Amino acid sequence: MPGARGPVPVPLTTNSSQPRDLTKEILTKLETKPKLETSQDFQDVSQAEIKAALDRLASRQMIEYQASDSEKVVLTAEGQTICEQGSHEYKVWDAVKRKRSIKIKDLPNEVGTDSAKIGQGNAFKLKWIKKDGDALVPVASEVQDKTRETLQLIEQTQSIGDAATLKEFLKRKLATTSKVITYTVQKGPKFATEMPVEVTDLTADMLASGAWQTANFKPYNFKALGANQNAGALHPLNKVRSEFRQIFFNMGFVEMPTSRYVESGFWNFDALFVGQQHPAREQQDTFFISDPPLADKPRPDPIADAAMDIMEAPSKRLFAPADAPSSTTTIPQTDDTRDYEQYWQNIRTVHESGAFGSIGYRYPWSPQETLRLVLRTHTTAISTWCLHRLAQNPRPARYFSIDRVFRNESVDATHLAEFHQIEGVIADFGLTLGGLMRFLEDFFANLGITGLRFKPAYNPYTEPSMEVFGYHKGLGRWVEIGNSGMFRPEMLRPMGLPEDLRVYGFGLSLERPTMIKYGVSNIRDLVGHKVDLGFIETNAAVRLEKD
């Protein structure tokens, strides 16, 4: 049997046992008059219920309706009391006139506390009464209670023409205003006093019998909203991160494994030529791990090496010699020929006494200090590990990573103690600083950020170094969006990399470009417990190269 949509009523809750068919009532009334005004014809029905019934009929083209809204004035309980008994000032005048004189202290007993408190002052202003010693005496022999008359008029018309009087009544809480939606209803092209049955399904039986030719099919409602799917939503940071990754891949970069949030001081500081007395290694800037207290000395990491082999496999196959055996399933393995003990000694030497053309820091280097565990302060620790791995087979390479880092910083509109860093490394022969600046301009052009500014800076492991700034329209100022430079020989040469192989390094924030793109002026509105989930669910898909 084909599905059908029949004359299902819109029931209302009534005192009687029979449900009220509101749609039937609308059709019956509309048959006898050309138009209906719901505010007059259905005063006892709520706006939501009348709207549901009208929509049912309008979807079948049985009626047409237009909505209009207006503001009505409604009396409060106190205003209703004044309508019935008179205003506070009238009660005071009436009592004083009847008694000819009333002591002020006795007035509450005559008219009530509220009327005595409010009405006495108003009666003085209107010059209905005056003070005679400690008593009140009448001044006017006859008065007009305009407050009561105005409220009675409001009760009848639910409106008031004088804005000043309305403001006074609202202030005295004698009346309130409310929005009223009125629907003007008239007959539609398919008007009838009974709702017809509409067929919702076209079946094989209807096609075979020909019943479909005379069937009354329910029309499609293309304006109907779909059901809320309660689907998940990507955070803006994840959207921007995906765009960054795609840009890196398009520019020939290989992603680095970044699963180690906890690093030793060796990889996080010493291997980067950061001295052990550097302020960045103080507790006010870095989160140190207390248990376990120390890490192992540098040693092979099979898990990270296996992950790196997987990530580098496509590029190795792409640039493999023509006579090399091809394989799409076997992942090329890198033989680990690194001498970790020699690397350890090289780092110690370059810090203590200098090496590779550097005089070093010339201080007693502490093995215990370098083995302290920290929450990594930058993903450059991962880049260092990858460059040391690259020293086994020195060649041009491009690496990147996007992951969390941790700094013991004060939280403000543009800083958090935990944030995401975009790290990039380019190793090649004959690199120059101008090439780095041009690369960063091309890189950020893919994000739709142009007109970069570069500021000379100091980093222990890059020389020369530059800070990168982009203009934030929301904050109305230039905001630092990254740091960059060329890695120092004191960092590269101890790994075993050749002298003529130079390396760009750049670390870029993920949060700040996201703030610029989405117009967020406070980073705490983007990350943390203050984030508006509605913003997460409704923010647009990101196209970094588009405005």
Side-chain angles (χ1 to χ4, degrees):
M1 181 176 180
R5 184 177 72 156
V8 180
V10 176
L12 296 180
T13 303
T14 60
N15 294 328
S16 63
S17 59
Q18 295 295 327
R20 179 178 176 183
D21 187 351
L22 187 56
T23 53
K24 177 66 175 176
E25 289 185 29
I26 293 173
L27 295 174
T28 302
K29 286 191 176 184
L30 199 58
E31 186 181 19
T32 60
K33 54 196 308 189
K35 287 186 179 181
L36 296 180
E37 296 289 340
T38 57
S39 59
Q40 299 176 5
D41 294 291
F42 296 95
Q43 297 182 14
D44 58 335
V45 181
S46 69
Q47 187 270 336
E49 290 171 326
I50 194 69
K51 178 71 163 56
L54 293 177
D55 284 341
R56 256 188 99 71
L57 295 170
S59 67
R60 294 167 169 81
Q61 299 182 18
M62 299 180 71
I63 65 164
E64 295 174 348
Y65 71 89
Q66 290 182 337
S68 60
D69 55 63
S70 60
E71 188 177 70
K72 71 175 181 179
V73 184
V74 181
L75 299 183
T76 63
E78 183 179 357
Q80 193 65 44
T81 302
I82 290 176
C83 275
E84 298 170 357
Q85 302 176 8
S87 64
H88 299 299
E89 54 269 26
Y90 180 83
K91 290 180 181 179
V92 170
W93 173 83
D94 185 60
V96 172
K97 182 183 178 184
R98 284 187 286 104
K99 296 279 187 178
R100 295 183 179 274
S101 176
I102 296 179
K103 290 187 177 294
I104 296 176
K105 66 178 181 179
D106 296 333
L107 184 62
N109 298 328
E110 296 290 334
V111 298
T113 303
D114 291 338
S115 292
K117 181 178 179 181
I118 300 172
Q120 184 180 169
N122 290 338
F124 278 134
K125 291 178 182 178
L126 295 171
K127 297 182 180 181
W128 290 358
I129 61 173
K130 68 178 182 179
K131 205 173 181 184
D132 185 13
D134 60 348
L136 299 175
V137 295
V139 174
S141 57
E142 297 291 336
V143 298
Q144 183 181 2
D145 192 353
K146 292 184 178 180
T147 301
R148 181 182 186 182
E149 292 174 358
T150 305
L151 290 175
Q152 289 174 339
L153 182 62
I154 291 175
E155 185 180 29
Q156 295 172 5
T157 63
Q158 295 188 331
S159 63
I160 182 172
D162 188 0
T165 304
L166 175 61
K167 184 177 180 180
E168 179 187 354
F169 286 170
L170 294 175
K171 183 179 179 181
R172 293 176 60 182
K173 297 182 180 180
L174 301 180
T176 61
T177 59
S178 62
K179 184 178 180 181
V180 179
I181 299 177
T182 300
Y183 300 100
T184 302
V185 187
Q186 60 185 12
K187 297 176 182 178
K190 296 184 179 180
F191 175 79
T193 56
E194 296 290 339
M195 292 182 64
V197 175
E198 293 178 327
V199 178
T200 59
D201 298 321
L202 179 62
T203 64
D205 292 340
M206 294 176 66
L207 293 173
S209 65
W212 62 273
Q213 299 182 51
T214 57
N216 181 28
F217 286 100
K218 173 186 174 295
Y220 283 107
N221 182 7
F222 294 103
K223 295 182 180 180
L225 298 177
N228 187 0
Q229 300 300 310
N230 294 321
L234 287 177
H235 192 280
L237 283 176
N238 284 337
K239 295 182 179 181
V240 176
R241 180 179 182 273
S242 298
E243 288 293 306
F244 269 111
R245 291 182 77 241
Q246 192 59 50
I247 290 171
F248 274 118
F249 288 139
N250 291 342
M251 299 180 79
F253 282 76
V254 173
E255 192 165 16
M256 296 182 283
T258 57
S259 58
R260 295 197 303 268
Y261 291 159
V262 178
E263 288 282 5
S264 68
F266 178 86
W267 291 111
N268 199 77
F269 296 120
D270 293 80
L272 275 68
F273 197 55
V274 178
Q276 293 184 347
Q277 291 81 29
H278 194 279
R281 300 179 77 151
E282 299 295 331
Q283 289 188 355
Q284 63 263 28
D285 294 310
T286 302
F287 293 107
F288 287 89
I289 306 300
S290 60
D291 186 22
L294 299 176
D296 296 337
K297 291 175 66 175
R299 57 176 174 78
D301 188 344
I303 296 176
D305 278 318
M308 197 65 188
D309 285 334
I310 294 173
M311 293 175 176
E312 284 189 312
S315 63
K316 286 185 176 180
R317 284 195 290 264
L318 181 63
F319 297 106
D323 56 350
S326 62
S327 173
T328 58
T329 57
T330 304
I331 297 174
Q333 303 293 320
T334 301
D335 296 329
D336 193 352
T337 59
R338 285 166 284 184
D339 188 340
Y340 290 95
E341 183 59 33
Q342 183 62 48
Y343 187 32
W344 172 275
Q345 292 300 330
N346 288 345
I347 293 297
R348 179 169 193 162
T349 302
V350 81
H351 277 255
E352 281 190 335
S353 57
F356 310 106
S358 171
I359 63 174
Y361 290 119
R362 291 174 290 181
Y363 68 91
W365 188 75
S366 169
Q368 184 172 2
E369 177 67 23
T370 196
L371 295 179
R372 292 180 68 185
L373 288 166
V374 300
L375 289 178
R376 67 182 181 207
T377 59
H378 46 201
T379 51
T380 315
I382 305 298
S383 302
T384 306
W385 179 86
C386 289
L387 290 173
H388 183 229
R389 187 175 188 270
L390 182 68
Q392 298 177 100
N393 179 22
R395 65 191 186 280
R398 294 187 173 197
Y399 300 126
F400 84 94
S401 64
I402 306 175
D403 212 334
R404 284 184 287 177
V405 297
F406 310 87
R407 305 273 178 88
N408 193 1
E409 292 186 345
S410 299
V411 176
D412 59 26
T414 57
H415 294 84
L416 291 177
E418 174 186 343
F419 58 96
H420 293 77
Q421 182 176 353
I422 304 167
E423 177 87 12
V425 170
I426 300 177
D428 208 338
F429 300 94
L431 297 179
T432 64
L433 183 66
L436 174 59
M437 296 172 69
R438 178 54 189 267
F439 169 80
L440 292 174
E441 288 174 347
D442 292 342
F443 180 84
F444 276 100
N446 290 319
L447 313 179
I449 301 175
T450 57
L452 299 183
R453 288 184 178 179
F454 301 96
K455 177 183 176 182
Y458 167 76
N459 286 317
Y461 46 89
T462 59
E463 181 61 36
S465 306
M466 301 180 301
E467 293 175 346
V468 186
F469 288 82
Y471 189 75
H472 191 300
K473 294 180 180 179
L475 293 176
R477 61 183 175 88
W478 290 88
V479 178
E480 181 187 352
I481 56 176
N483 213 321
S484 63
M486 300 182 70
F487 285 132
R488 297 177 65 106
E490 294 94 333
M491 174 185 166
L492 301 177
R493 296 292 302 284
M495 300 175 181
L497 290 170
E499 184 176 357
D500 57 345
L501 184 69
R502 298 175 183 175
V503 181
Y504 294 151
F506 52 97
L508 312 171
S509 167
L510 178 62
E511 279 79 1
R512 290 184 186 174
T514 305
M515 292 170 65
I516 292 174
K517 192 64 186 177
Y518 283 95
V520 177
S521 58
N522 192 326
I523 195 171
R524 288 165 290 195
D525 295 332
L526 185 67
V527 181
H529 65 284
K530 294 184 178 180
V531 174
D532 180 7
L533 293 181
F535 166 71
I536 302 300
E537 294 171 354
T538 59
N539 65 75
V542 66
R543 288 290 301 278
L544 293 175
E545 77 282 7
K546 303 291 185 182
D547 291 333

